[in-house]
C-alpha cells in the first residue's frame, strides 16, 4: 500500500525498472491499480489518507529476470532514492541477485540463474 497519491510516480519508476510491467490504472474514485511484472500479478492500493506506517522489508517481491544485466539495470533504477539491502552480486543461491528497497519503501528481490 502507498498513500497520498504517489502511485502514478511509483508505477512510472517500476516501469523503468521492469519494461514488461503492465498496468491497469484506476478510474476515479477507485484507488486500486492492477499490475503485472515477471509473471506476478498484484494490486496496489493508493490510500488517499496519509498513514504513520509504511511498507517494510520483512516482505518483498521476488522477481526472476532473463539475464544478469537485467538484475543490475533494475537495481540501479530502484535504488535511486532508495537503498540497497544486498548489492548486485553472485551468491550461492543465484548467479546474480540483489535486494533493494525503492524510494516508496517497496522491497524487491531480483534474481537471475537461481540455484537448483
Amino acid at each position: 500500500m502507498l498513500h497520498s497519491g504517489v502511485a502514478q510516480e511509483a508505477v512510472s519508476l517500476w516501469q523503468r525498472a521492469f519494461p514488461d510491467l503492465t498496468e491497469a490504472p484506476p478510474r476515479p474514485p477507485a484507488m486500486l491499480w492492477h499490475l503485472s511484472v515477471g509473471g506476478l500479478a498484484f494490486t496496489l492500493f493508493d490510500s488517499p489518507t496519509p498513514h504513520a506506517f509504511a511498507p517494510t522489508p520483512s516482505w518483498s517481491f521476488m522477481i526472476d529476470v532473463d539475464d544478469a544485466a537485467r538484475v543490475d539495470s533494475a537495481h540501479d533504477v530502484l535504488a535511486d532514492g532508495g537503498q540497497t539491502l544486498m548489492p548486485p552480486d553472485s551468491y550461492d543461491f543465484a548467479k546474480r541477485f540483489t535486494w533493494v528497497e525503492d524510494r516508496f519503501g517497496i522491497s524487491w528481490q531480483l534474481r537471475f540463474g537461481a540455484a537448483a
Side-chain angles (χ1 to χ4, degrees), residues 68-69 71-72 88-91 94-98 110-113:
V71 170
D72 294 351
D89 206 342
S90 174
Y91 294 91
K95 291 180 182 175
R96 195 76 177 164
F97 175 85
T98 190
L110 311 174
R111 178 175 67 172
F112 166 72

Side-chain angles (χ1 to χ4, degrees), residues 32-46:
L32 298 177
W33 294 64
H34 301 285
L35 306 166
S36 177
V37 62
L40 176 68
F42 61 98
T43 301
L44 170 66
F45 177 61
D46 190 15

